[in-house]
Amino acid sequence: MATAPRRNIDLASARAEAEHRFIAANPKSRVLFDQAAEALPGGNTRTVLYYAPFPLTLARGEGARVWDVDGHAYADFLCEYTAGLYGHSHPVIMAALREALDGGIVLGGHNKAEGRFAAALCARFPSLDLVRFCNSGTEANLMAISTARAVTGRDKIMVFDGAYHGGVFYYAHGGMPLNAPFPTVIAPYDDTQAALDLIAANARDLAAIVVEPMQGAAGCIPASRDFLAALREASAKHGIILIFDEVMTSRLAPGGLQEALGITPDMTTLGKYLGGGLTFGAFGGRAEIMKRFDPRDADAFPHAGTFNNNVLTMAAGLAGITKVYTPEAAVALNARGDRLRERIAAVFDAHGTGVRVTGLGSMLGLHFASEDARALFHLDLLDRGQYFARRGMIILSLPMTDADLDGLVAAVEGFRADHAALLAAG
Ligand code: PMP
């Protein structure tokens, strides 16, 4: 897609113009979207993928690139909302998948990879003595919370404003209509005193405190170490199970943020890239809690799930964590992310554009002063061949080259050059 200088009088007009250009450039995506809307509400089966005027339909991916159905190539900084850590065709992952496929699918028994995969995860993440697999991060959180309620005999959970723990655990704006109906206390994020006060007021009813060490969907907002340490101390004091949701943040250090911060929760939930790019979730924690699932015990908690140990996820996940995303690879990728964040922040900081850049390591959040500014940035960067989430989340993957990162910075500079005056005015 060609780019031309934009001269608009305000952000809303610039956004409208960008939407027109997008519509003109993507006729095939539009047709497929309209057709899908006949059987899917709003053409959509995954809310986060929708953006106006209509989302691109992707035809294929390779390495760190994706192509849409109209033939445009993009550098993929959406990275499947962090699950795309290995890119779209990592040779080690693809080989593991081919080997697993050759062994046949839906075996309906224990398989050779699952025990080794579990052992690899327990070796990596300090809080995991034992772990169990499921099929999504949502399910992992549902299982961890239900486990905490069963173990403590208490009802309530504490979560934090803005948190996303899954399709039925979304706590922006006071919670969502489809949230799981657990009695829930919502505390402000990263506000130690407020959290401690709410814990004290609800101490005898709280089964679990669930927290992302850095909020992901809310915009890559890291918590302070003091806040998390205070949660650790207060939960231990009151017999509340502290659950770190590291579905996204486990990629930020070899042993997740829990290792980087030196704070060990009672339980941890995992998902995303750890399945090697396939459907995945896991929950685990202290042996004393997790051994309640041991089916050799007469009163064990039952936990079923047809696809919990599906051979494709087990093979891809095992290969990924043992052969590709080694501790060294995790350190290197996150160092690259830190440098990229500094470069992008410098583009905006130097020009008073009101854009704020947050995040840690390989996860970046860009914050705009208005919805128009955010949409304009997204459409403008798509036009420059950069694919990422409308919410302003930019994620690194392993196959990205330095040229890919330079390309993103150049695109951000181009956006700033074209729109700085409007951003400052807006
Ligand atoms: N927890 C966090 C922190 C997440 O970011 C997500 C997904 N974005 C989930 C849980 C839910 O994972 P899934 O989409 O696999 O259900």
Side-chain angles (χ1 to χ4, degrees):
M1 282 179 268
T3 55
R6 292 106 173 128
R7 287 194 185 78
N8 278 292
I9 46 166
D10 60 30
L11 279 171
S13 330
R15 175 186 180 171
E17 184 187 311
E19 287 187 349
H20 281 118
R21 290 156 55 84
F22 178 90
I23 292 166
N26 295 290
K28 290 185 181 158
S29 276
R30 182 181 205 162
V31 167
L32 286 173
F33 177 72
D34 289 343
Q35 287 171 353
E38 288 167 23
L40 295 164
N44 179 276
T45 189
R46 195 174 159 202
T47 306
V48 75
L49 293 185
Y50 178 76
Y51 48 86
F54 53 83
L56 295 174
T57 293
L58 299 182
R60 68 185 192 91
E62 197 181 307
R65 297 211 123 43
V66 289
W67 284 261
D68 70 17
V69 288
D70 287 286
H72 310 118
Y74 297 92
D76 177 16
F77 287 94
L78 188 137
C79 282
E80 192 52 298
Y81 292 86
T82 71
L85 175 83
Y86 301 110
H88 304 289
S89 51
H90 195 290
V92 173
I93 302 285
M94 299 308 262
L97 284 172
R98 285 192 188 100
E99 192 185 326
L101 276 172
D102 287 344
I105 57 173
V106 282
L107 301 184
H110 288 240
N111 59 61
K112 289 185 287 184
E114 65 197 70
R116 290 168 59 207
F117 184 26
L121 295 182
C122 290
R124 268 300 261 274
F125 299 104
S127 66
L128 298 188
D129 295 332
L130 295 166
V131 67
R132 285 182 78 88
F133 297 127
C134 52
N135 297 282
S136 68
T138 303
E139 203 184 329
N141 282 310
L142 179 61
M143 287 306 305
I145 289 168
S146 297
T147 302
R149 282 161 48 98
V151 166
T152 60
R154 301 174 182 173
D155 258 4
K156 280 190 191 169
I157 59 170
M158 177 182 274
V159 297
F160 295 91
D161 189 31
Y164 185 83
H165 299 295
V168 294
F169 300 111
Y170 184 24
Y171 301 101
H173 319 298
M176 295 292 150
L178 300 189
N179 274 357
F182 297 119
T184 303
V185 178
I186 304 179
Y189 188 64
D190 205 25
D191 180 336
T192 304
Q193 196 53 51
L196 291 180
D197 291 347
L198 282 166
I199 292 170
N202 293 278
R204 277 184 302 168
D205 301 324
L206 279 175
I209 299 171
V210 191
V211 64
E212 296 164 86
M214 174 177 83
Q215 286 194 329
C220 299
I221 314 285
S224 63
R225 189 184 182 283
D226 286 355
F227 170 72
L228 296 168
L231 296 183
R232 175 63 289 183
E233 195 181 317
S235 54
K237 177 172 161 203
H238 295 295
I240 304 163
I241 293 183
L242 181 63
I243 303 172
F244 273 11
D245 178 342
E246 293 230 51
V247 167
M248 278 188 172
T249 59
S250 63
R251 61 159 38 221
L252 295 178
L257 278 188
Q258 57 192 263
E259 182 212 26
L261 295 165
I263 298 173
T264 307
D266 301 300
M267 298 187 76
T268 296
T269 53
L270 301 169
K272 304 279 191 195
Y273 75 94
L274 283 167
L278 283 87
T279 306
F280 177 71
F283 62 101
R286 285 197 281 123
E288 180 197 348
I289 298 169
M290 292 304 295
K291 71 176 167 40
R292 299 292 302 270
F293 288 93
D294 185 336
R296 294 168 297 190
D297 296 335
D299 64 346
F301 297 151
H303 165 229
T306 302
F307 293 109
N308 286 357
N309 66 337
N310 79 82
V311 291
L312 296 179
T313 300
M314 296 297 110
L318 174 63
I321 195 74
T322 56
K323 296 184 188 164
V324 185
Y325 206 50
T326 57
E328 299 72 35
V331 169
L333 184 73
N334 287 299
R336 294 180 81 200
D338 284 333
R339 281 198 299 277
L340 180 69
R341 194 176 60 257
E342 286 160 16
R343 290 174 72 190
I344 291 180
V347 172
F348 288 120
D349 283 357
H351 298 86
T353 49
V355 182
R356 214 160 50 87
V357 185
T358 61
L360 286 173
S362 61
M363 295 173 61
L364 286 69
L366 272 63
H367 304 263
F368 294 85
S370 70
E371 178 52 33
D372 280 337
R374 189 154 60 122
L376 176 63
F377 180 69
H378 183 239
L379 294 167
D380 186 279
L381 261 75
L382 284 176
D383 199 29
R384 298 173 197 268
Q386 310 296 319
Y387 186 74
F388 64 100
R390 168 67 60 101
R391 66 164 71 129
M393 193 160 86
I394 288 180
I395 305 296
L396 274 72
S397 67
L398 291 167
M400 278 172 187
T401 62
D402 287 343
D404 291 327
L405 304 188
D406 292 347
L408 177 68
V409 173
V412 173
E413 280 168 346
F415 168 80
R416 193 257 306 143
D418 283 353
H419 300 294
L422 289 181
L423 289 172

